[in-house]
Each structure stands twice: as structure tokens, then as C-alpha cells.
Amino acid sequence: MLIAHRSRPRVGEQANGDTVVIRETDGWTLLAVVDALGHGPEAEKVAAMAAETLLLLDPGTGARVAVEAMHAALRHSRGAAAMIAVVRRQQLEGCGVGNVLLRVQGTRIPVTLSPGVLGTRVRRIHPFVGPLPPGSRVVMVSDGISQRFRFAQHRAVVPEALCQMLMNSYGKAHDDATVLVADVEDDGARR
């Protein structure tokens, strides 16, 4: 996979309550965007706790287990929204809680978000699974990025440039903002 991401705090602040976790190991790739509630130093601490939880977890356990682990780790905190995608053998297993968006181009994946806040209240976790063949693109954004961007018009843009473009054109100044773009390459392509 060819993966790029950008994250920045709310304009005028130093601490970022959004974070990205990327792990590639033993044929598994874990992609995560976490958006702690609010912004500032306390939100940054919550995002760091969520990231630490994901870094200690075996990606092979799956997206649902990752979300459940974050939910437990963030108890008694302000909480967070998160989207997790675990990719293996041209298949994506995902799970999202709250308002972190995942869009896929080049295939159809029935993305279902679970309402709630990790660490405080989640009624039911809705994992989803779908094919992720070579040539597919995954885009994950926190709610600090307007979800009005059009997918098709940016297909030829490489992930690093697309991250910067989405941040510049669709980032909201009043919130932390994060974007992650991952292109699934042909099996023979370089990592």
C-alpha cells in the first residue's frame, strides 16, 4: 500500500486531538484515524492513549477488537471518535465509532458507522467487510475536514499531494483536522 497522511491542530493551537496510526506487519495493514472530543492538550492526551492502545494490539485481531480495546482504554476520559481499517489479502475489515469518515474508490464497501463516543457510550459496534483490489483508494478523514470533497476528480493525484490538497481546501480552522489516503498497489508494485 502507498499511504500518506496529514494532521494539524485547530488553527492557533499547538496540541492536536487528532492522530493517525499506521501499522504494517505480517501481511496485515492497520489504518486508523482517531479524533478525541474537543481540542487542546486534554484532547491530545486522549488521542495519544488511543494510539498507544492500537500500537500494542496485534492487527490480526481485527478492526472490531481494536475498537473494543480503545473503548476500554478510554473509559473515564473525554472520549473519541475513530475509524479503523485492517487490510489483508485484498480485503478491508473496518469499524468506526462517531463521525470519522471512510470512503473507498475502486470498489464497494458497505461502510456503517456506529453511533457513540469511544470511552463513554457505544450502544452497538457495527464492523463491515469488503473487497479491496489493486487500484482501490481508501480515504479517511476526521470531522475537521469537510466531507463535501468529490472523490472522482482527485483520482490521479498521488496520496501525499491529495492529503495536502484536502487539508488546504477542506480543513476547518475551528477544529483539529486529519486526512489519511492509502492506495492499494498491484502485488508486484514496490511498498
Side-chain angles (χ1 to χ4, degrees):
M1 293 187 87
L2 183 58
I3 306 166
H5 64 90
R6 287 263 194 275
S7 188
R8 62 133 180 90
R10 176 179 168 164
V11 172
E13 294 192 3
Q14 299 294 317
N16 188 352
D18 283 5
T19 195
V20 170
V21 176
I22 300 167
R23 291 192 53 208
E24 295 181 281
T25 178
D26 298 327
W28 298 88
T29 301
L30 180 140
L31 307 170
V33 170
V34 178
D35 180 357
L37 267 57
H39 48 86
E42 290 304 313
E44 187 174 63
K45 288 177 191 173
V46 171
M49 288 186 333
E52 182 179 331
T53 300
L54 293 175
L55 291 171
L56 295 173
L57 203 63
D58 176 4
T61 60
R64 181 186 189 116
V65 172
V67 165
E68 290 170 344
M70 281 193 303
H71 186 48
L74 298 180
R75 289 216 191 283
H76 310 294
S77 74
R78 66 174 49 195
M83 177 61 71
I84 308 293
V86 177
V87 180
R88 181 175 188 218
R89 295 189 184 131
Q90 297 184 2
Q91 179 172 298
L92 181 145
E93 175 195 351
C95 199
V97 174
N99 54 1
V100 176
L101 176 76
L102 179 140
R103 287 192 188 173
V104 181
Q105 185 176 25
T107 187
R108 293 195 99 149
I109 296 179
V111 177
T112 304
L113 292 173
S114 302
V117 177
L118 291 171
T120 60
R121 63 190 180 283
V122 178
R123 287 194 346 212
R124 186 169 175 220
I125 295 174
H126 302 280
F128 51 88
V129 177
L132 198 63
S136 301
R137 171 171 275 178
V138 175
V139 177
M140 299 166 76
V141 298
S142 69
D143 69 343
I145 301 288
S146 170
Q147 298 178 3
R148 294 188 212 157
F149 65 89
R150 297 193 186 268
F151 228 20
Q153 69 190 44
H154 302 300
R155 184 60 182 133
V157 179
V158 297
E160 187 68 35
L162 182 56
C163 286
Q164 192 62 51
M165 183 187 323
L166 292 175
M167 188 68 73
N168 292 342
S169 299
Y170 297 96
K172 299 174 184 176
H174 64 275
D175 200 359
D176 302 331
T178 299
V179 59
L180 179 148
V181 177
D183 284 350
V184 180
E185 300 173 298
D186 290 328
D187 290 339
R190 233 177 93 194
R191 274 194 146 181

